[in-house]
């Protein structure tokens, strides 16, 4: 936990350090999917999630063969679970709403491949810690319980990511597509569950890279 907070503090502090590429702000949404929620096929079960986030990319060594970026951010994530089962003389269902806000930082590496003109790919890790969480369960159409969400969300999380973006760096708006995998992301039925995310990111930039300005 202390190591994770140290990484986050360093990434936030880096926003005041000069970097070679200026991104004003980035934001987007993700679609998280829980892998193997482990419910009986005879029951009706579904879980859906949505993740909104805002982040700031700070890039270093943009004129080198390998670019390094620190991307601190803030996100809000929510899940909706629905479960229903019936039998002789009984009926049971519940809706569970889990939501949380977290502070995170991505550490990414991007190779500068001169042979590829149109797109660039990057990879890295994502470290996060939850600032707040909440859970509400409605059982048989009545509010059963409401707690701080720690039974679903862990205190912190980590993941691995792979992204793709246009290579032209002087665009004002740059879209990105990102794929992430998070081991032990949530707890369901007292068991840790992995998750994957597909994220659409829009970055707004202030202008051309420093090396382009110097060249002029």
């Amino acid at each position: 936990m202390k190591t994770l907070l140290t990484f986050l503090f360093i990434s936030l502090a880096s926003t005041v350090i000069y970097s070679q590429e200026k991104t004003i702000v980035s934001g987007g949404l993700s679609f998280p999917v829980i892998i193997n929620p482990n419910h009986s096929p005879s029951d009706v079960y579904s879980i859906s999630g949505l993740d909104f986030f805002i982040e700031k990319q700070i890039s270093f060594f943009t004129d080198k063969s390998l670019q390094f970026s620190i991307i601190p951010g803030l996100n809000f994530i929510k899940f909706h679970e629905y479960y229903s089962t019936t039998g002789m003389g009984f009926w049971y269902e519940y809706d569970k709403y889990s939501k949380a806000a977290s502070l995170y930082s991505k550490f990414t590496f991007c190779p500068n491949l001169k042979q590829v003109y149109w797109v660039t790919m990057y990879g890295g890790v994502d470290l996060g810690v939850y600032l707040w969480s909440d859970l509400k369960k409605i059982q048989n159409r009545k509010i059963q319980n409401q707690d701080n969400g720690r039974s679903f969300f862990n205190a912190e999380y980590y993941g691995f990511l792979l992204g793709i973006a246009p290579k032209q760096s002087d665009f004002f708006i740059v879209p990105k597509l990102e794929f992430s995998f998070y081991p032990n992301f949530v707890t369901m039925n007292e068991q840790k569950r992995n998750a994957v995310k597909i994220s659409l990111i829009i970055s707004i930039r202030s202008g051309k890279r420093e090396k382009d300005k110097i060249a002029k």
Side-chain angles (χ1 to χ4, degrees):
M1 181 66 176
K2 291 182 179 180
T3 302
L4 178 58
L5 291 175
T6 301
F7 273 121
L8 293 174
F9 175 78
I10 293 174
S11 65
L12 288 174
S14 66
T15 60
V16 298
I17 301 176
Y18 177 81
S19 63
Q20 294 173 288
E21 187 172 359
K22 302 294 184 179
T23 300
I24 300 175
V25 69
S26 300
L29 57 88
S30 300
F31 302 95
V33 177
I34 305 300
I35 301 175
N36 188 23
N38 192 24
H39 277 270
S40 172
S42 61
D43 301 331
V44 177
Y45 178 80
S46 65
I47 181 169
S48 58
L50 196 59
D51 184 354
F52 304 91
F53 57 90
I54 185 170
E55 59 189 29
K56 166 72 174 178
Q57 178 172 337
I58 307 102
S59 298
F60 303 89
F61 314 118
T62 58
D63 56 346
K64 304 297 182 181
S65 60
L66 189 64
Q67 175 181 302
F68 172 66
S69 295
I70 300 174
I71 312 173
L74 180 69
N75 86 321
F76 174 80
I77 187 171
K78 62 179 181 179
F79 286 95
H80 173 219
E81 294 179 73
Y82 175 77
Y83 174 80
S84 176
T85 185
T86 58
M88 296 186 61
F90 78 92
W91 158 75
Y92 175 78
E93 73 170 4
Y94 70 76
D95 287 275
K96 186 184 294 184
Y97 301 89
S98 306
K99 50 189 176 181
S102 70
L103 181 68
Y104 67 88
S105 187
K106 301 173 184 176
F107 301 86
T108 65
F109 294 90
C110 176
N112 292 322
L113 302 177
K114 295 181 179 180
Q115 299 86 350
V116 182
Y117 298 99
W118 298 105
V119 297
T120 183
M121 298 185 67
Y122 60 92
V125 297
D126 182 9
L127 306 176
V129 57
Y130 286 107
L131 306 175
W132 165 86
S133 60
D134 180 76
L135 184 148
K136 181 172 68 174
K137 183 176 181 180
I138 301 176
Q139 182 174 311
N140 293 344
R141 301 176 185 176
K142 295 181 180 180
I143 296 179
Q144 182 70 16
N145 65 333
Q146 188 165 359
D147 58 36
N148 59 14
R150 295 295 177 87
S151 60
F152 185 78
F153 296 104
N154 303 315
E156 63 270 341
Y157 59 88
Y158 69 95
F160 308 93
L161 62 92
L162 180 67
I164 185 171
K167 194 169 186 178
Q168 288 82 353
S169 60
D170 55 351
F171 287 167
F172 176 65
I173 296 178
V174 179
K176 299 179 182 179
L177 188 62
E178 202 168 272
F179 303 90
S180 309
F181 171 73
Y182 296 87
N184 302 325
F185 189 60
V186 298
T187 301
M188 303 177 66
N189 299 325
E190 299 183 351
Q191 295 183 359
K192 303 291 186 181
R193 298 297 176 190
N194 304 330
V196 296
K197 283 185 183 181
I198 301 176
S199 305
L200 176 62
I201 306 170
I202 300 296
S203 297
I204 300 177
R205 302 185 54 186
S206 60
K208 295 184 179 181
R209 296 184 297 181
E210 291 296 322
K211 71 172 186 176
D212 297 330
K213 295 179 181 178
I214 294 174
K216 291 185 177 181

